[in-house]
Amino acid sequence: MSQATIDAETRPDPLGVGADHPDYLRADSGLRSWLLTKDHKRIAIMFYVGVILFLGLGGIFALVLRTELLTPEQTFIDANTYNQMFTLHGITMVWLFMIPAIPTVFGNFVLPIMLGAKDLAFPRINLASFYVYVLSAIILLGAMVAGGADTGWTFYVPYSTTSPTAVTWMGIGIFVNGISSIMTSVNFIVTTHTMRAKGLSWHRMPLFVWASYATSIIILFATPVLGMSLVLLALDHAFGLSLFNPRYGGDPVLFQHLFWFYSHPAVYIMILPSFGVISEVVCSFSHNQPASYRAIAYSSLGIAFIGFFTWGHHMFVAGLSEFDAGVFGALSMFVAIFSAIKVFTWVATLRGGSISFATPMLYFLWFLFLFVFGGMTGVAVATQSLDVHWHDTYFVVAHFHFIMVGGTLTAFLAAAHYWFPKMFGRLYDERVGLLTSVAVFIGFVFTFLPQFLLGNGGMPRRYFTYPARYQWLNVLSTGGAWLLGAGLILALGNLVIALKWGKRAGPNPWGSRSFEWITASPPSKHNFEETPEIERSAYEYTLSEEVARERAKAR
C-alpha cells in the first residue's frame, strides 16, 4: 500500500479519507455489526454508553446520600440503606466509571489514530474487554439487587468478612472488572510499541498516548494485587476461612496493605488519562506547542513509578512505625513534584499562544483549579500529624473528590466536547456547552468545599446523623450536588441533541495539529486510506493561523 506523508499540510483531510469511503458509523449496518464489531471506534462508542449509564447511577446514589444529610436526623432513608448507598456509590463510580471512562472511550477511539494505526493490536481482545466489563457490571448490579454491600468501597476487614450483605459477589464483580482493565492495558502497550506509523518516534507521539501508556503500566502491575485481595476476601466471607480475622490468627492490617497497594496507584489510573486529555486540550486551544514536551511525557512515567511506593499514607492510624510513616509521607509529597511539573508546563504553554475559550478550554481551567486545590490538600493529608486529625472525616472525602472525581469528571467532559466532532462529525451548541460547564464547576465547588470545613470541624464521614451545628454546611453541600447533577444532565442533553441537529463539523474544526485530526470527521472504518508517514511532531503550531484560515474556508 502506498504511503502518505503527514507534514505541514494545510488542506483538510490530507489522506483523502472520507471521499469515497463511508464513515465507521455507516460502514456496516444492523445490531449484529455493532455487537460483533472489531473496530476500535465502535467498541469505544459501546463503552461510552456504558460509562455514561454508570455515571448516572453513581450520581443517583450520591444524590440520595446528600438529600438524606439535609437534616441532622433521619430524613427519608434508614441507617442501613444509607450505609449501602455510600458503598454502592463508591463501587459504581470507581470501578464502573472513573477507572474505565477515559481509557476505554477516548483511548480506544483516538489512540490508534494518533499512532497512524488502523486498529489496536488485538481487536478481538478489545471486543472481549467490553463484554468482560459488561459481565462485571451485571454481577455488580445483581449483587446490588441481592443485598448490596454496607462495607464502604474499601471493604475493610474484619467487618466485611461477616457482613450479611452480598460482599462475596461484589468482590467477584470487581475482580472480573479488573480483567477487562488488564485486557485494555495490554492492547495499549503493545499497540504503542509495535504499530506506530513510519517516522513516529516516541518523542513525536501525542501526549495523550504517553498518559495512556503510563496508565496501562500501572493497571498491568497493580490490578492483579487487587484481584488476589478480593478473592481472599470473598473466600473469607463465603467460607469463614478467617484469613483476616485476628481472633483466628488472621491479620486485618495485611488486607489494608494489599488493598491500598492497588488502590493508591488506582488514584493515578483515574487521573493520568485526565492529564493526557488536558495536555491535548491546552495545546489545541492555545494553538501552541507544550512548553516542555518531555517534562509532561516523563512526569507521567515518574508518577506511574513512584505511585507504587505511597500506599502507606492511607494507613497512618493503622499502627505503622514512625519510620515507615515518615517514608510514606515523604514519598507521597515527592510524587506531587511530577504533578506540579505538569501544572507549571500547562500554564507555561498558554504563554504566547492564541487562546480560544471554547468549552473544552473552559473545562481545562476548571480542572486546573480543582486539581491544584485538591493537590495542596493532598500534601497536607500526607503529613502524619495532620492526617491523624483528618482521618475518616469529611476532609478526606472532599480531598478525594476534588482530585479524583473533579479531575476525572472535568477531563472526561473536556474530552467529550473536544473529540465530539471527530467521533460524530457534528458540532454541539457552544453557548450551551459554556453554560453547562459553569454549572458543573459551581455545583462541584459548592458540593465539596463545605466538606473540607465539615471535616476540619470534626464531622466523621459515613455517619447517618450529625450534630445540628453542621447542618448549614450540609445544606450547602446538598444544594451543590443537585446543581452539579443538573449541569451534567444539561451537558449530556446538549451533546445528544447535537448528534442529530448539530452543524456538520469539518475534519478539524479546532485547527489542532494532533494526528487524529488528519482523518475525516468521523473517520472511515479503517481510519486511513493510505498508510501514513509522520514527518513532524504532534504540536507544530508555527503555521497554526494559516491552518485555521484554510480549514475555515473549507468548512
Side-chain angles (χ1 to χ4, degrees), residues 111-131:
L111 185 140
I113 306 176
M114 286 178 164
L115 296 174
K118 292 189 174 182
D119 211 310
L120 288 171
F122 307 115
R124 288 182 176 84
I125 291 179
N126 195 25
L127 179 61
S129 71
F130 170 72
Y131 285 112

Side-chain angles (χ1 to χ4, degrees), residues 280-305:
E280 298 300 322
V281 167
V282 70
C283 291
S284 291
F285 289 94
S286 64
H287 300 94
N288 204 4
Q289 63 183 1
S292 176
Y293 174 95
R294 297 195 181 200
I296 296 178
Y298 292 161
S299 62
S300 295
L301 298 180
I303 290 171
F305 178 71

Side-chain angles (χ1 to χ4, degrees), residues 184-498:
T184 300
S185 66
V186 169
N187 233 335
F188 285 0
I189 290 172
V190 175
T191 302
T192 303
H193 275 277
T194 65
M195 298 185 68
R196 300 194 308 275
K198 184 177 180 180
L200 184 57
S201 64
W202 283 87
H203 294 128
R204 285 181 173 177
M205 294 193 310
L207 290 166
F208 181 75
V209 178
W210 278 96
S212 300
Y213 182 82
T215 304
S216 298
I217 291 173
I218 300 175
I219 291 173
L220 197 59
F221 286 100
T223 305
V225 178
L226 173 71
M228 175 184 67
S229 307
L230 292 178
V231 166
L232 293 175
L233 175 63
L235 291 172
D236 209 342
H237 184 269
F239 302 110
L241 300 183
S242 299
L243 298 170
F244 303 112
N245 191 334
R247 183 177 180 183
Y248 301 101
D251 186 357
V253 177
L254 173 62
F255 177 82
Q256 291 190 40
H257 279 290
L258 292 172
F259 181 85
W260 288 114
F261 182 80
Y262 163 81
S263 293
H264 192 78
V267 167
Y268 306 116
I269 292 173
M270 299 176 216
I271 202 65
L272 269 174
S274 302
F275 292 161
V277 171
I278 293 305
S279 297
E280 298 300 322
V281 167
V282 70
C283 291
S284 291
F285 289 94
S286 64
H287 300 94
N288 204 4
Q289 63 183 1
S292 176
Y293 174 95
R294 297 195 181 200
I296 296 178
Y298 292 161
S299 62
S300 295
L301 298 180
I303 290 171
F305 178 71
I306 299 297
F308 279 98
F309 301 98
T310 60
W311 79 90
H313 75 238
H314 295 274
M315 301 171 58
F316 283 151
V317 299
L320 294 180
S321 70
E322 289 298 317
F323 176 80
D324 289 343
V327 170
F328 281 123
L331 287 171
S332 299
M333 295 178 190
F334 181 66
V335 77
I337 295 174
F338 296 109
S339 298
I341 288 172
K342 290 183 181 294
V343 170
F344 288 126
T345 307
W346 291 328
V347 173
T349 300
L350 299 174
R351 184 176 180 272
S354 177
I355 301 174
S356 301
F357 284 102
T359 303
M361 190 61 174
L362 210 54
Y363 278 115
F364 159 74
L365 297 177
W366 305 152
F367 173 93
L368 206 61
F369 173 82
L370 297 176
F371 182 74
V372 171
F373 191 97
M376 290 189 296
T377 63
V379 173
V381 296
T383 305
Q384 185 182 17
S385 57
L386 295 174
D387 184 71
V388 169
H389 171 62
W390 288 325
H391 186 78
D392 264 344
T393 71
Y394 264 93
F395 192 97
V396 176
V397 175
H399 158 69
F400 180 85
H401 281 80
F402 256 69
I403 289 281
M404 293 301 101
V405 182
T408 302
L409 188 60
T410 52
F412 180 82
L413 291 169
H417 290 82
Y418 176 56
W419 281 309
F420 186 84
K422 174 56 56 184
M423 299 175 79
F424 303 107
R426 299 279 184 173
L427 296 173
Y428 53 85
D429 189 309
E430 186 65 38
R431 292 171 299 177
V432 177
L434 293 171
L435 177 64
T436 55
S437 75
V438 172
V440 167
F441 175 70
I442 294 175
F444 191 92
V445 170
F446 270 91
T447 302
F448 296 107
L449 194 59
Q451 294 181 16
F452 282 114
L453 302 177
L454 286 169
N456 196 54
M459 181 174 172
R461 61 179 175 174
R462 300 178 176 179
Y463 270 49
F464 175 63
T465 59
Y466 55 85
R469 66 179 181 274
Y470 296 131
Q471 184 174 9
W472 73 276
L473 288 169
N474 276 294
V475 170
L476 279 179
S477 184
T478 299
W482 280 98
L483 177 58
L484 173 59
L488 291 173
I489 292 171
L490 290 174
L492 175 63
N494 186 32
L495 296 180
V496 170
I497 290 171

Side-chain angles (χ1 to χ4, degrees), residues 91 96 135-145 169-170 173-174:
I91 290 172
L96 295 178
L135 176 61
S136 74
I138 291 172
I139 295 172
L140 289 170
L141 290 173
M144 292 178 191
V145 173
W169 284 105
M170 283 288 178
I174 295 170

